[in-house]
Amino acid sequence: MLRHTLRSITSNKARFLLTTLVVVLGVTFVVASFALADSLRDTFGQLSADVNEGIDVQIQAIDEFDVAGQTGNNLPVPASVLDDVRQLDGVNNAAGGIFFFSTFPIDGQGRSPGGQDLSTAVNFSGVQSLDKLVVLAGEAPVGPDQFALSPAAFEEFDFEIGNRYAIESTATGRYEMELVGEIRFGLEDDASLGGILVTFDNETAQLVSGYEDSYQLIGVEGEPGVDPEQLVADIQAILPDGIEAITGQQAEEDFSESFEVFIGPFQTVLLVFAFIVLFVSTFIINNTFNIILGQRVRELGMLRALGATGRQVRGSVVGEALIVGIAATALGIGLGLLGALGLKAILEAFVGDFPSAGVPLRLRTIIWAVGLGVGFTVLASLLPAWKASRIPPIAALREEISIGSRSSRARTIFGVVLAIVGIAAAVGGLTGSGGVQATLSLLGFGAAVIFLAVAILAPLFAGPVVSFLAAPLPKLFGTPGAIARENARRSPRRTAATAIALTIGLALVTLVTVVAASLKQSVNDTLESAVAGDFVIFADGGNGIPPALADELRTLDELDAVVRERFETVRFNGEITDLEGSTMELIEEVVRIDVVEGSTAAGDPARRVAISTEYAEEAQLGVGDFVPIEFAEGGMADLEVVAIYADDTWYGDRFLDIAVLDEFGSNRADGDFLLSLAEGVTVEVARPAIEAALGDSPLAGLRTREEAIGEFQGFIDIILTMATIFLGFALLIAIIGIVNTLTLSVIERTREIGLLRAVGMTRRQSRKMIRWEAVAIALFGAVLGIILGMIFGFAIVEAVPDDFIGTLVVPWVRIVFFLVAAVLLGMVAAFLPARRASKMNVLEAIAHE
Amino acid sequence: MTTTMTNLAARAAGASKIYGSGDTEVRALDDVTVAFERGRFSAIMGPSGSGKSTLMHCLAGLDDLTSGSVYIGDTELGSLSENDLTLLRRTSVGFVFQAFNLIPTLTARENMVLPMTLAGTKPDEAWVDQIVTTVNLADRMDHRPSELSGGQQQRVAVARALASQPDIIFADEPTGNLDSRSGAEILNFMRNAVDDLGQTIVMVTHDPVAAAYSDRVVVLADGKIVDEILEPTADTVFDKLKALGD
């Protein structure tokens, strides 16, 4: 039987190539996802190892508000701790460390590493074994007037040792210092800290980064032979409250792990797409096996007649699937690695080089690839294999026999049950109180089951729907059109199974499009209705805007109000939460807010908060009441509720005065500024004045309100486009599915096509016939997919809280575009099968068995 | 000479068809020259492998010759492109095959007028109705082939061949798959088409009884024409064939 299996594969190379291709694509995605994520992990693991090399114990502040490990606050460790630790027995050396992101030097031509480039302030501690800083040229900076740069700055920008340059810090504003040296991170040449380093001496680094008389962490080098665990215990004993000591190894792992926050989701997103691609592939494979077995009924009957058991026939079919799965997986692993390299190159183009070379192929990746690639293929073949094993020996003798399938009644019941399960899961996900993870998992499961249900039920209505969709064909394209229509509906099960891949692909594309369009509209509505300011300034440097810039802007006559905004993680009224602070007394100038009681300008700026009517009710608070607030660094205060405002504003449920954050908060840079113009001043007049006041700061990006809204929408568009591109792979597979089915149909209908050609169908007409059949199938899949996608999209828009997505938008133009695209895809898919049909030798075709 | 030319529906001149080469060379047709007149019912007979089907296929433009030439009316087929051949088949040639004559997705009527709808021309309704009545299928015309008996399917096939009023109809073992009663029906019907409707039919068969319905039998053996019987009866044809076998 194995020989039979192998022969069956080799004698149908083209068909197996196509089937293999769909699995290859899926496996490629899986492998690329893992390999790229692993490459990122390696990069950051290496970085982490480099940074923590030589450090036996690390001392850091405990941030009890950092629940998700995401605030990145890096609370200060007092400099006095460093002196104490140095005195300790068993400590060889210790150094304070500052790594303050977003400190930008501005070169001789006014350029600066902006945007997403890393430009980090570090302190030259003088302890080389711990800070790993090496002076390459000039000298180390000393005092408040000197700094040094890493080689990347000299390579990419115009800097010269001995000259004076401006430096912009997101925390503390602008400085001008002398560039005194070139300093590299890494004792070896190949250390992996990317971006640009701006080096100062200890005190200057503290000043620039806003860590007054403190460090972000302290690295300790033990005496030779001292046990790190013991050292940790000894150090911990002398540390003040809120400061902890951990081993260097632990620090390395923590640091490495902190990058999982974005690597993990990145990998998950890619894997989700991989799963979608494989899921779609399963339908294609299943359909292909069904058709092929349908064509081989006689041959299989003959095998049975010759004594093969049903089990052997089944084994032969599953064996075919197994071989296809293994071949495709092997190829997919290779292509996946290539794909990961490509994606890595794209990422590097956007965010700078990764120091790690290559993309690693881990055992875990291989296990997943084989499990999914081989698993899905074999899974898809099980039902056809079972059907094949039930073919009776008499099938060898009969003129016409179709392979068995469950009664349509059982099928309907099964499909309906699945649909109910899927809808229940999706509704459960949308309305449930579980976290984002649980919601998405349930939604994903629900969607997959609904797709399965649709695939099972689709044959029931494929006939009439295709008839309807293809109704214009006979009018438009005469007899070839009429026959195309008949062919598309003659086997509803096959048409449905072929179209379902396109249905899934387009359903997802439509879903994403509907949600994105609604999100865009909601963002637009929110900004339009909530923001009254004429300009906004965003933190283009990535890590905030220096608050000092606001003072500069306030000197301008063109401006009426300059409102600073910034988030901080705090414990407010007993609950750890992100709160936004703003310049409350000016708030009504830049934000549309409906204060129903009190005034945002009342009370002590450094002790005031405003809350929404809803929160007021929920927390039983009124104007004049006091609410406790606690900060990560230990600050505590009671804030007075000075205003209550109607719901649905820019700030959500509550916001406080930024003066409170200035006094107690850990963030030193502002998030954004909102500006409003003075009476009678136009945007055109104000713009140059504001730009002049901002100077050439790489940190502050000025935009009009409209530009800001456009930028948000552009961002959503980019995400939408990327999702569409990834889902495009599902569509690609759908095309392959149509090609596959049509090719097999053409082979099946060889005699019919021969007859048509004999009685006068031209080659052109035969191509037209196949082409429009493909279009009819594609259109059926597309219409079904778009309807499903819209339903899913509506459900999600409904389920998401209104202050995130409040408006449902149906992107009709895009949906029409999808339909047109489906028609074109059908035509593309028909190309090869149509060629095959038109090239048939009429005589041989007529004589075909 | 000109008058006789136009009186010919199809002819072959020095037609040879050779498959393979060297030791494996097979001469399916060996320098065959034959003509079929208009308004007559001709039969081509011969044992298996005699080349009778090849001759028909070449005459009908379904296959090409190795050397020599074939004509439908005055049109030499060798000079025609694939597309022109298709258009010629559509307008000037009718076909009846042994089996699988009808497109399963089309009704009997749609099958019958298929060559014309493919050409985008309107069928002559009066003519179509007349044929439908003659083949006695009026009440079955809206059925699909799967709902018709084998005999009925062949009658639709013959009706289709007649519907476009072609210059010539080729029938390849049209009764080969039918029981004798249904076969007789088809043969009578073809006979009538020639006698009453003035059609031209060339039929390939190996059945002497079928051949007896024709006006003239051309007998092939080993790719050559070896005999010709005018006004054949089943017995005369049988005897000739038997003689060939000896």
Side-chain angles (χ1 to χ4, degrees):
Chain A
M1 277 318 266
L2 178 65
R3 213 165 62 210
H4 181 79
T5 303
L6 288 174
R7 190 155 301 155
S8 160
I9 290 176
T10 49
S11 63
N12 295 287
K13 287 188 199 83
R15 152 188 111 205
F16 274 94
L17 207 68
L18 285 172
T19 313
T20 309
L21 198 57
V22 298
V23 187
V24 167
L25 269 177
V27 174
T28 299
F29 246 100
V30 172
V31 171
S33 318
F34 277 122
L36 185 61
D38 284 340
S39 169
L40 289 174
R41 287 194 184 96
D42 282 2
T43 297
F44 292 112
Q46 188 58 46
L47 171 64
S48 178
D50 287 346
V51 168
N52 291 287
E53 190 193 344
I55 295 176
D56 296 318
V57 175
Q58 177 171 305
I59 299 165
Q60 61 193 23
I62 301 165
D63 185 353
E64 60 172 312
F65 292 174
D66 191 3
V67 187
Q70 282 178 11
T71 62
N73 272 348
N74 287 316
L75 301 184
V77 179
S80 61
V81 172
L82 179 58
D83 300 328
D84 298 343
V85 168
R86 277 187 170 140
Q87 310 297 321
L88 217 60
D89 282 346
V91 171
N92 189 21
N93 215 336
I98 285 173
F99 297 88
F100 183 70
F101 296 125
S102 304
T103 300
F104 297 86
I106 297 163
D107 78 355
Q109 301 171 30
R111 296 177 306 157
S112 153
Q116 299 304 308
D117 284 345
L118 282 178
S119 184
T120 307
V122 298
N123 59 316
F124 191 86
S125 69
V127 186
Q128 203 180 51
S129 59
L130 290 171
D131 71 13
K132 273 88 65 181
L133 294 175
V134 179
V135 180
L136 297 176
E139 48 201 281
V142 178
D145 196 42
Q146 294 189 348
F147 76 109
L149 288 172
S150 58
F154 289 95
E155 283 162 24
E156 291 163 34
F157 297 92
D158 179 20
F159 287 110
E160 236 174 281
I161 293 176
N163 289 352
R164 297 182 70 79
Y165 297 97
I167 297 168
E168 192 97 29
S169 156
T170 52
T172 57
R174 178 170 287 231
Y175 300 85
E176 201 183 289
M177 296 185 198
E178 184 188 353
L179 177 58
V180 296
E182 181 174 1
I183 291 185
R184 182 186 78 204
F185 171 80
L187 302 176
E188 311 289 328
D189 199 30
D190 56 353
S192 57
L193 198 58
I196 286 171
L197 293 186
V198 190
T199 312
F200 307 95
D201 74 2
N202 286 334
E203 287 71 26
T204 311
Q206 290 171 354
L207 180 74
V208 169
S209 60
Y211 279 80
E212 289 157 53
D213 209 21
S214 58
Y215 295 100
Q216 287 182 350
L217 47 85
I218 292 169
V220 180
E221 183 185 59
E223 298 276 8
V226 172
D227 173 31
E229 300 285 350
Q230 184 57 49
L231 197 55
V232 164
D234 292 347
I235 292 172
Q236 188 67 60
I238 65 157
L239 291 178
D241 281 353
I243 309 290
E244 63 176 350
I246 57 172
T247 62
Q249 197 185 347
Q250 183 64 47
E252 185 182 327
E253 282 165 19
D254 289 353
F255 188 63
S256 207
E257 215 154 274
S258 66
F259 295 100
E260 267 306 310
V261 174
F262 74 90
I263 298 178
F266 183 73
Q267 175 182 303
T268 307
V269 167
L270 284 177
L271 273 180
V272 164
F273 283 117
F275 187 82
I276 291 170
V277 165
L278 278 169
F279 184 70
V280 171
S281 303
T282 309
F283 288 95
I284 302 292
I285 300 166
N286 177 271
N287 192 33
T288 307
F289 271 102
N290 267 330
I291 298 173
I292 291 169
L293 290 172
Q295 292 173 352
R296 284 169 52 196
V297 164
R298 274 212 210 182
E299 177 194 335
L300 292 170
M302 174 74 80
L303 280 172
R304 292 299 312 277
L306 293 177
T309 62
R311 216 185 134 121
Q312 279 175 315
V313 169
R314 198 160 55 223
S316 156
V317 174
V318 176
E320 271 187 45
L322 198 62
I323 290 170
V324 169
I326 290 171
T329 301
L331 200 59
I333 289 175
L335 285 177
L337 289 178
L338 283 180
L341 276 176
L343 282 175
K344 193 178 156 208
I346 293 172
L347 264 185
E348 284 179 341
F350 279 107
V351 300
D353 285 358
F354 299 168
S356 92
V359 284
L361 180 61
R362 299 272 147 78
L363 181 64
R364 181 259 279 114
T365 311
I366 297 177
I367 291 172
W368 272 81
V370 172
L372 290 176
V374 178
F376 271 83
T377 316
V378 170
L379 196 71
S381 76
L382 285 182
L383 207 57
W386 181 80
K387 286 187 207 162
S389 71
R390 314 254 307 182
I391 293 172
I394 191 71
L397 308 172
R398 277 194 208 147
E399 183 69 25
E400 264 175 50
I401 189 164
S402 59
I403 70 174
S405 54
R406 249 170 297 177
S407 76
S408 62
R409 196 187 153 84
R411 193 184 170 95
T412 309
I413 292 170
F414 184 54
V416 169
V417 167
L418 269 187
I420 291 169
V421 169
I423 292 169
V427 169
L430 287 173
T431 57
S433 53
V436 176
Q437 194 86 31
T439 305
L440 290 181
S441 305
L442 266 176
L443 266 185
F445 173 76
V449 174
I450 290 172
F451 282 135
L452 217 53
V454 170
I456 289 168
L457 295 176
L460 297 178
F461 53 84
V465 175
V466 167
S467 291
F468 173 75
L469 290 174
L473 286 183
K475 270 245 156 56
L476 290 173
F477 304 103
T479 304
I483 299 176
R485 177 171 177 235
E486 293 305 321
N487 282 344
R489 72 175 181 192
R490 78 202 274 183
S491 171
R493 191 166 291 186
R494 181 183 297 186
T495 297
T498 307
I500 199 75
L502 194 60
T503 299
I504 296 173
L506 263 184
L508 295 173
V509 171
T510 306
L511 157 78
V512 171
T513 308
V514 168
V515 172
S518 301
L519 179 61
K520 238 164 97 173
Q521 189 59 47
S522 302
V523 165
N524 190 50
D525 291 352
T526 307
L527 291 176
E528 285 272 348
S529 68
V531 178
D534 304 287
F535 280 103
V536 292
I537 295 178
F538 289 134
D540 278 1
N543 236 24
I545 313 174
L549 275 180
D551 298 332
E552 305 257 352
L553 293 171
R554 282 178 180 141
T555 64
L556 295 177
D557 292 335
E558 286 84 354
L559 294 181
D560 178 32
V562 176
V563 169
R564 297 164 51 207
E565 293 188 328
R566 179 206 299 174
F567 276 100
E568 180 85 32
T569 307
V570 298
R571 181 179 282 136
F572 180 79
N573 207 10
E575 162 203 9
I576 293 177
T577 177
D578 284 339
L579 270 198
E580 186 157 26
S582 77
T583 314
M584 271 175 64
E585 68 272 19
L586 297 174
I587 199 72
E588 290 183 66
E589 303 289 329
V590 294
V591 170
R592 293 208 175 90
I593 185 168
D594 178 14
V595 175
V596 293
E597 201 186 338
S599 158
T600 55
D604 175 6
R607 294 288 184 275
R608 65 188 175 193
V609 65
I611 58 177
S612 71
T613 47
E614 193 180 84
Y615 186 75
E617 197 166 311
E618 183 190 313
Q620 295 288 308
L621 289 170
V623 169
D625 288 346
F626 284 84
V627 188
I629 186 167
E630 282 176 60
F631 292 85
E633 286 176 46
M636 277 188 218
D638 286 321
L639 303 184
E640 183 188 357
V641 176
V642 294
I644 294 176
Y645 54 89
D647 303 324
D648 268 354
T649 67
W650 181 237
Y651 289 114
D653 267 353
R654 55 251 155 135
F655 65 99
L656 42 76
D657 198 294
I658 200 159
V660 186
L661 299 184
D662 284 341
E663 186 175 339
F664 297 104
S666 303
N667 285 332
R668 279 148 186 90
D670 287 341
D672 58 73
F673 295 163
L674 301 174
L675 316 178
S676 70
L677 294 174
E679 200 60 38
V681 178
T682 63
V683 166
E684 288 71 29
V685 171
R687 181 161 224 150
I690 300 170
E691 277 169 354
L694 293 174
D696 43 11
S697 170
L699 306 175
L702 179 68
R703 294 152 180 72
T704 63
R705 192 176 75 131
E706 287 67 33
E707 285 166 355
I709 292 173
E711 209 163 287
F712 272 122
Q713 300 191 327
F715 182 66
I716 297 169
D717 276 338
I718 288 174
I719 293 186
L720 175 65
T721 305
M722 281 171 59
T724 309
I725 288 173
F726 278 122
L727 291 172
F729 281 93
L731 298 181
L732 184 64
I733 285 181
I735 300 184
I736 294 174
I738 298 177
V739 174
N740 226 350
T741 306
L742 277 182
T743 306
L744 295 170
S745 293
V746 165
I747 294 171
E748 223 168 65
R749 298 182 202 144
T750 297
R751 285 180 84 175
E752 206 175 310
I753 294 166
L755 177 67
L756 283 166
R757 298 270 294 114
V759 300
M761 178 177 266
T762 61
R763 287 188 165 164
R764 245 178 92 121
Q765 285 177 319
S766 66
R767 281 197 296 271
K768 206 187 267 182
M769 173 179 77
I770 304 291
R771 189 183 310 135
W772 289 103
E773 179 184 354
V775 169
I777 295 174
L779 214 50
F780 171 66
V783 167
L784 197 56
I786 286 170
I787 291 173
L788 276 179
M790 296 226 285
I791 293 173
F792 288 171
F794 294 174
I796 287 177
V797 170
E798 268 311 301
V800 167
D802 273 0
D803 51 355
F804 189 48
I805 307 181
T807 327
L808 174 67
V809 176
V810 181
W812 290 113
V813 175
R814 277 192 188 244
I815 283 169
V816 169
F817 168 78
F818 293 154
L819 282 175
V820 174
V823 170
L824 293 176
L825 288 183
M827 288 184 170
V828 170
F831 182 77
L832 286 177
R835 224 173 100 96
R836 187 178 188 127
S838 76
K839 288 273 151 83
M840 265 181 197
N841 180 304
V842 179
L843 261 189
E844 285 172 16
I846 293 171
H848 184 84
E849 271 289 321
Chain B
M1 191 66 192
T2 322
T3 43
T4 44
M5 279 283 281
T6 48
N7 199 31
L8 295 180
R11 66 191 172 95
S16 294
K17 177 77 180 177
I18 301 167
Y19 295 105
S21 60
D23 289 347
T24 59
E25 183 181 292
V26 175
R27 287 183 173 264
L29 289 180
D30 192 357
D31 195 20
V32 172
T33 298
V34 66
F36 298 97
E37 292 158 38
R38 285 189 201 282
R40 291 190 77 182
F41 186 178
S42 311
I44 304 176
M45 294 204 70
S48 291
S50 61
K52 58 183 188 296
S53 286
T54 306
L55 176 61
M56 194 207 87
H57 291 150
C58 290
L59 281 168
L62 289 173
D63 204 353
D64 53 357
L65 291 171
T66 309
S67 65
S69 49
V70 288
Y71 297 81
I72 297 280
D74 289 335
T75 312
E76 205 273 309
L77 301 189
S79 60
L80 295 183
S81 71
E82 161 62 35
N83 203 47
D84 289 339
L85 270 178
T86 306
L87 298 182
L88 179 91
R89 284 201 300 268
R90 192 191 265 176
T91 52
S92 308
V93 182
F95 284 102
V96 181
F97 297 106
Q98 179 172 357
F100 204 81
N101 264 301
L102 306 178
I103 302 301
T105 47
L106 300 181
T107 63
R109 178 179 298 279
E110 286 166 339
N111 266 292
M112 191 178 153
V113 296
L114 185 58
M116 280 158 285
T117 52
L118 279 173
T121 55
K122 273 236 174 294
D124 178 344
E125 288 300 335
W127 173 251
V128 168
D129 288 345
Q130 187 185 346
I131 297 168
V132 169
T133 321
T134 319
V135 295
N136 197 19
L137 273 172
D139 57 333
R140 311 294 290 168
M141 290 313 281
D142 291 324
H143 289 70
R144 299 263 158 112
S146 58
E147 298 158 330
L148 301 176
S149 73
Q152 286 172 330
Q153 288 186 30
Q154 284 307 79
R155 269 146 64 194
V156 175
V158 175
R160 178 190 62 212
L162 290 168
S164 55
Q165 293 178 276
D167 294 342
I168 186 165
I169 294 167
F170 292 102
D172 190 357
E173 305 271 13
T175 58
N177 270 17
L178 300 180
D179 60 73
S180 56
R181 205 180 131 242
S182 305
E185 244 174 49
I186 291 290
L187 290 163
N188 270 321
F189 177 44
M190 295 207 291
R191 183 70 251 172
N192 292 342
V194 173
D195 293 345
D196 304 342
L197 306 174
Q199 296 294 301
T200 309
I201 298 179
V202 175
M203 171 177 72
V204 167
T205 183
H206 65 272
D207 176 9
V209 177
Y213 283 81
S214 70
D215 301 316
R216 168 197 177 210
V217 176
V218 176
V219 183
L220 258 73
D222 296 329
K224 294 190 171 104
I225 293 180
V226 292
D227 210 341
E228 200 177 316
I229 311 160
L230 294 176
E231 305 300 330
T233 65
D235 288 339
T236 55
V237 175
F238 186 77
D239 290 342
K240 289 277 184 200
L241 287 180
K242 197 159 173 272
L244 256 181
D246 290 340

